[in-house]
Amino acid sequence: WLSMLSGGVLGGDENYHKHIFNFKWYTPVLKKLVLYQNFTFGALYPLIKDEYLYSSTYFSMGGSGVPRGEMLRGYPDNRIGPLLPNTIYAINAGNIMFKYSTELRYLISSSPTVYFLLFADTGNIWSDFENVDIFDLKRSAGIGFRLNMPMLGVIGYDIGYGFDHHNDDIESPWGWEQHLIFGVPLN
């Protein structure tokens, strides 16, 4: 559980409180096979109605999550969610986030740690609680691998198929998307 307070009695340029609930667990299946699951929920509440907040304050989702979002493989980076109003560039982000991810990981080597994975992700971003539709989730599935090198971090590659389009006005699925992972992933 992570809670942040900005502004108000603390001062600063922005006035909001932000809460993120993240729950991860690992279940051994066989000797080298592990089931990994990750549930994330987030909510952002501006303290002053209609006050401008920096785009990096909002939740964003899609792709590898780089540079500031939540990973949702099978889609372009940070393209899930509504467009933020009053921004110069088209930025997809929102105040409410939900994501669930599961991976079946098979260990190839323990030193350095190398494993293959099958994954399924689902999630979305909404502008506020009135627009939340838990049945309107972007879904994807795919395969990948990770190499964990001491002092370098994680190096990985995923290829995922997005079953839904990131733009709600388009009915067709997004299709295949490739993602390179460098450093410590947030997923």
Side-chain angles (χ1 to χ4, degrees):
W1 182 273
L2 173 68
S3 291
M4 294 177 268
L5 174 64
S6 176
V9 297
L10 301 174
D13 296 337
E14 299 179 292
N15 297 288
Y16 66 89
H17 56 104
K18 186 176 187 178
H19 310 279
I20 301 171
F21 174 73
N22 189 286
F23 187 65
K24 300 178 182 183
W25 65 99
Y26 299 84
T27 307
V29 178
L30 296 172
K31 185 175 180 181
K32 293 186 173 190
L33 196 63
V34 172
L35 179 66
Y36 164 77
Q37 298 178 72
N38 178 10
F39 166 80
T40 306
F41 172 78
L44 168 70
Y45 301 97
L47 295 176
I48 299 172
K49 186 175 172 66
D50 297 328
E51 180 185 44
Y52 175 79
L53 297 177
Y54 297 116
S55 61
S56 60
T57 303
Y58 293 94
F59 295 109
S60 62
M61 182 181 292
S64 62
V66 173
R68 59 176 177 78
E70 185 73 25
M71 182 185 288
L72 190 69
R73 296 162 288 192
Y75 295 94
D77 289 337
N78 303 314
R79 297 293 294 174
I80 303 296
L83 286 172
L84 281 181
N86 304 324
T87 56
I88 297 171
Y89 303 105
I91 298 172
N92 296 80
N95 293 341
I96 310 297
M97 171 187 62
F98 174 82
K99 181 192 162 209
Y100 175 76
S101 180
T102 185
E103 295 178 357
L104 194 57
R105 298 177 173 181
Y106 182 76
L107 183 66
I108 301 298
S109 168
S110 58
S111 184
T113 304
V114 179
Y115 60 89
F116 286 107
L117 58 95
L118 298 172
F119 69 85
D121 294 341
T122 185
N124 207 346
I125 302 272
W126 297 276
S127 58
D128 52 41
F129 272 112
E130 289 83 33
N131 294 318
V132 171
D133 180 2
I134 201 66
F135 298 106
D136 178 27
L137 298 175
K138 308 303 181 197
R139 304 159 296 151
S140 66
I143 61 172
F145 79 90
R146 297 289 185 276
L147 169 63
N148 190 348
M149 295 292 291
M151 303 289 288
L152 290 176
V154 176
I155 300 169
Y157 172 78
D158 294 329
I159 182 165
Y161 186 84
F163 294 104
D164 305 291
H165 204 282
H166 60 85
N167 182 344
D168 290 332
D169 297 334
I170 300 173
E171 298 285 329
S172 65
W174 178 252
W176 293 101
E177 189 79 24
Q178 301 177 52
H179 308 286
L180 295 174
I181 313 292
F182 293 103
V184 178
L186 301 176
N187 185 16

